[in-house]
Amino acid sequence: MLRRERDHAASLTAKHAMHMRRQHQVSEKQLLTGIASGEIEKDSIADPHVGRFAALISHLVQHNHRTELRKPVFRRKDLVVLLEHLQSVGCKLHDKSNRHRSLSPGGISILESLVLVAHARPQWVRPLGDWKPRTHNAKRQFHSLLRHLFDRFGEVPLFMDHAWTMGTQTGGGLDPKGVEFRDWYLHLGVGRSLRDQRLPLKFTKRMAHQFKDAPADVTIPQALRWAQVIGLGGDERLARAVAGTRLADDFEHDDFWTTVLRWLMEQSMLDLVQIGPMLDYIHHQRFVPQRVFGILEDHENPQPAEPNFTMKGRTANSLLRQVEAWHRALAGSNRIQIANWKPVGIAGFEFMEGNETSGNAKIWTIRELLCSRSLVVEGRNLNHCVATYASSCSRGGTSIWTLEVETNTEVDKRITIEVRPTSRTIVQARGRSNRLMKEQERGIVRRWCAQAGLTLSPGV
């Protein structure tokens, strides 16, 4: 009798536990729709990923003015309908296990991206009810959903999907670049030309066509530069190399830089590794006022070294000699005033290879350089021009990191890394005398990217 009672009690306990699990599952499904409808306040949410989802909704509701859409109003019911449909077809995009996932490192989560998709409800080109997932992978599901809702002719390139991962700025408000890029996406999705948009470059018809054929692994700004190089008559190797330089997302002085690109196309035997250092040198000579860091040499009218710098009459060999001389001058200069800046908020990295017991341990570290003197030392050790990045670092536009490896006998500097903090993208990585990364170093950097949520640009 006693045994039967124990079995019965155990059965009741198991049934109660199952009931509680089912209740929890139901509440998980209702949580997101409750937030979307406004029934659940964002202040009552414990999960930080769901909290950011709620915060974006709240921001759009509070700022229902003209944004990137022709119809400015964000409607909660559009998001509710979207979430309910995803739940009904067994989509994984809103599952708890996928709430932290993003299409790109450093971007907003897919869950937050769904808010932006609902915000663009007036631009949906097909009925939501006709979409069903054909894969269990959350990222592929999101790519598929975007194409169903916004890409009428199947011509929007894959890299454009990153426009939906750009949410709000640090100080609040929608990221203006994200707003602009989503507008491009919607424009391309209905078969219109990118040339109709306000672009930072002068785009020909050929360039607009090449933009859609850019590699899937580039960023949207890199695709613009890639398409420009191809459209001007350059090849894909040159386009890749240029996309890995400072020109990847700096579009000022386009008329001048177009002459530089045309000159590069004529240098058929130029080692593409040299393009980044050449562009740094040209930029410094033509556009950067000469200064001791933080103190202009001419307080009244500071001028670059060669404000009329031109590519006319230059050869690759003569320019390379000038670049080398510039590097030597930077390495020997004692005129740079020490200045410090704050970390950009990206985690450093440490990885041990081998083990200490066997005496073959190697400790790889990646750390941020936070003063102008550190940049000078880095440049001297590796014979490159990183010291010229002090001003950009102090303004927060660029972050410079060093990859070092420590053994029992020495600490060896290997690679200097440039990161764009806003996009969390590694745009340059160079070793001694501007050599490219070796495979072992690339493997370490990829580990750091995975851990810190960074993207390694193509061609780096």
Side-chain angles (χ1 to χ4, degrees), residues 130-415:
D130 291 346
W131 182 82
K132 291 182 180 179
R134 297 185 178 181
T135 174
H136 294 294
N137 181 281
K139 290 185 179 181
R140 291 191 190 122
Q141 286 182 359
F142 190 68
H143 288 306
S144 170
L145 178 66
L146 289 178
R147 264 141 198 77
H148 176 82
L149 294 178
F150 300 117
D151 189 1
R152 178 173 291 165
F153 303 107
E155 295 183 350
V156 180
L158 191 64
F159 62 81
M160 282 298 300
D161 290 10
H162 295 297
W164 302 93
T165 71
M166 304 170 72
T168 54
Q169 302 180 100
T170 304
L174 289 178
D175 182 340
K177 278 297 178 185
V179 169
E180 182 181 31
F181 292 160
R182 285 191 292 278
D183 195 42
W184 293 4
Y185 193 109
L186 301 174
H187 196 77
L188 292 171
V190 292
R192 295 175 182 164
S193 172
L194 192 65
R195 296 176 70 210
D196 300 336
Q197 299 295 296
R198 184 178 297 175
L199 302 177
L201 300 174
K202 294 177 182 178
F203 247 41
T204 63
K205 288 183 179 179
R206 183 183 180 192
M207 291 174 189
H209 176 75
Q210 292 296 336
F211 177 82
K212 293 191 287 187
D213 290 336
D217 59 353
V218 298
T219 65
I220 296 172
Q222 285 176 331
L224 287 173
R225 191 64 80 182
W226 191 93
Q228 182 191 34
V229 173
I230 299 295
L232 289 171
D235 59 25
E236 293 192 10
R237 289 176 64 252
L238 178 60
R240 279 280 192 182
V242 172
T245 69
R246 66 180 311 114
L247 295 188
D249 55 4
D250 181 356
F251 299 106
E252 291 187 315
H253 313 294
D254 179 49
D255 288 342
F256 169 73
W257 287 114
T258 297
T259 67
V260 177
L261 294 176
R262 291 188 184 281
W263 181 87
L264 288 172
M265 292 172 200
E266 296 171 356
Q267 314 307 314
S268 58
M269 296 304 293
L270 177 65
D271 183 355
L272 297 182
V273 171
Q274 300 298 335
I275 289 179
M278 280 182 168
L279 296 181
D280 284 341
Y281 169 74
I282 293 169
H283 173 265
H284 186 268
Q285 295 300 103
R286 182 173 171 111
F287 299 114
V288 178
Q290 299 304 291
R291 65 176 70 200
V292 175
F293 183 79
I295 303 178
L296 298 175
E297 291 182 341
D298 182 345
H299 294 273
E300 297 297 324
N301 186 28
Q303 290 291 317
E306 296 182 74
N308 297 316
F309 186 101
T310 176
M311 303 308 295
K312 187 175 181 180
R314 295 185 186 273
T315 66
N317 286 335
S318 67
L319 186 57
L320 284 171
R321 284 194 296 271
Q322 291 171 328
V323 172
E324 284 298 317
W326 179 53
H327 287 171
R328 288 194 298 272
L330 288 172
S333 175
N334 292 312
R335 302 170 63 210
I336 298 179
Q337 179 180 337
I338 295 178
N340 304 293
W341 45 86
K342 295 180 180 179
V344 295
I346 297 172
F349 180 77
E350 184 173 302
F351 173 71
M352 179 180 285
E353 188 179 38
N355 62 79
E356 294 177 345
T357 305
S358 302
N360 64 347
K362 290 183 178 180
I363 301 176
W364 297 83
T365 58
I366 300 177
R367 59 184 177 85
E368 188 174 7
L369 301 181
L370 297 173
C371 73
S372 53
R373 179 58 60 192
S374 296
L375 298 186
V376 171
V377 172
E378 184 82 359
R380 285 175 179 169
N381 282 326
L382 295 181
N383 189 34
H384 55 44
C385 63
V386 71
T388 64
Y389 282 73
S391 180
S392 295
C393 290
S394 68
R395 293 195 304 267
T398 288
S399 177
I400 301 297
W401 299 69
T402 182
L403 169 62
E404 300 169 324
V405 58
E406 180 180 355
T407 63
N408 289 331
T409 58
E410 63 177 352
V411 176
D412 183 23
K413 285 187 173 293
R414 290 295 190 86
I415 294 291

Side-chain angles (χ1 to χ4, degrees), residues 105 217 240 347-351 364-366 403 415 417 419 424-426 428-429 437-460:
D217 59 353
R240 279 280 192 182
F349 180 77
E350 184 173 302
F351 173 71
W364 297 83
T365 58
I366 300 177
L403 169 62
I415 294 291
I417 303 166
V419 179
R424 299 180 73 88
T425 302
I426 295 175
Q428 290 197 78
M437 286 190 288
K438 298 176 181 177
E439 282 308 307
Q440 185 182 30
E441 296 160 346
R442 187 179 299 276
I444 297 296
V445 170
R446 288 191 183 280
R447 285 175 180 267
W448 180 43
C449 288
Q451 180 177 299
L454 301 173
T455 300
L456 185 63
S457 287
V460 174

